[in-house]
Amino acid sequence: MTLQSGQDFKPSDYNADNIGTPYLTGASNIAENGDLIINRWTEKPTCIANTDDVLIVCKGSGYGKITICTIDYAHIARQFMAVKKSEFIDTKFMKLFLVSKLSVIKNNGQGLIPGIDRPSVLNLPFPLPPLAEQKRIADVLERALGAIDKG
């Protein structure tokens, strides 16, 4: 698993004018349904999340929110970590795994302000069934969770 940490910008390095690369700053960029809300851009991107990376809010209010990146290219602030897409790991499986381990990850939070540190994610024992089995598990879990939400 490859984990990309984010980096903040000073206000002069981003804009609200749709100029440059989308800039994701924290939990406020994730809608209730998991969609991304883009309201800032930068012309100096360095810490990049791509389509199908799993985004984790690791600092600030809303820490622990997890979603899948649905845009091609975005700069992430330090309030985010991105589990980079892998040809060996189904993105939905990775997201569901992280959601299932969220209490463990949060319990390892460090400092006065709650947060999620890199070792808490990187050191999780990760089951790695074959890719087809990961997809099957993710599909079954998504259907079950959807039925629970409707119920």
Side-chain angles (χ1 to χ4, degrees), residues 3-61:
L3 190 61
Q4 170 74 52
S5 292
Q7 175 187 6
D8 287 343
F9 286 130
K10 57 186 181 220
S12 61
D13 288 336
Y14 61 85
N15 66 80
D17 303 321
N18 199 6
I19 299 170
T21 298
Y23 176 32
L24 304 175
T25 59
S28 64
N29 289 114
I30 303 174
E32 285 298 316
N33 66 359
D35 288 348
L36 291 177
I37 300 167
I38 311 297
N39 54 16
R40 292 184 182 157
W41 292 263
T42 182
E43 294 184 76
K44 300 179 179 184
T46 57
C47 299
I48 305 304
N50 304 99
T51 303
D52 288 337
D53 290 348
V54 179
L55 301 174
I56 306 167
V57 178
C58 58
K59 297 180 187 324
S61 65

Side-chain angles (χ1 to χ4, degrees), residues 23-134:
Y23 176 32
L24 304 175
T25 59
S28 64
N29 289 114
I30 303 174
E32 285 298 316
N33 66 359
D35 288 348
L36 291 177
I37 300 167
I38 311 297
N39 54 16
R40 292 184 182 157
W41 292 263
T42 182
E43 294 184 76
K44 300 179 179 184
T46 57
C47 299
I48 305 304
N50 304 99
T51 303
D52 288 337
D53 290 348
V54 179
L55 301 174
I56 306 167
V57 178
C58 58
K59 297 180 187 324
S61 65
Y63 88 102
K65 275 184 141 179
I66 299 173
T67 195
I68 296 172
C69 186
T70 55
I71 56 178
D72 291 337
Y73 192 83
H75 177 93
I76 55 173
R78 69 184 190 108
Q79 289 78 4
F80 275 110
M81 289 188 282
V83 177
K84 301 302 287 178
K85 179 182 176 181
S86 164
E87 64 182 291
F88 305 108
I89 302 172
D90 180 73
T91 300
K92 291 178 188 175
F93 182 80
M94 174 59 76
K95 178 188 174 209
L96 290 165
F97 170 76
L98 290 169
V99 168
S100 77
K101 296 295 183 184
L102 196 52
S103 63
V104 172
I105 295 169
K106 282 182 153 186
N107 284 340
N108 291 330
Q110 305 290 322
L112 295 174
I113 299 172
I116 297 169
D117 62 359
R118 290 177 58 83
S120 295
V121 176
L122 290 171
N123 294 334
L124 282 172
F126 183 71
L128 192 58
L131 191 57
E133 184 68 6
Q134 293 174 43

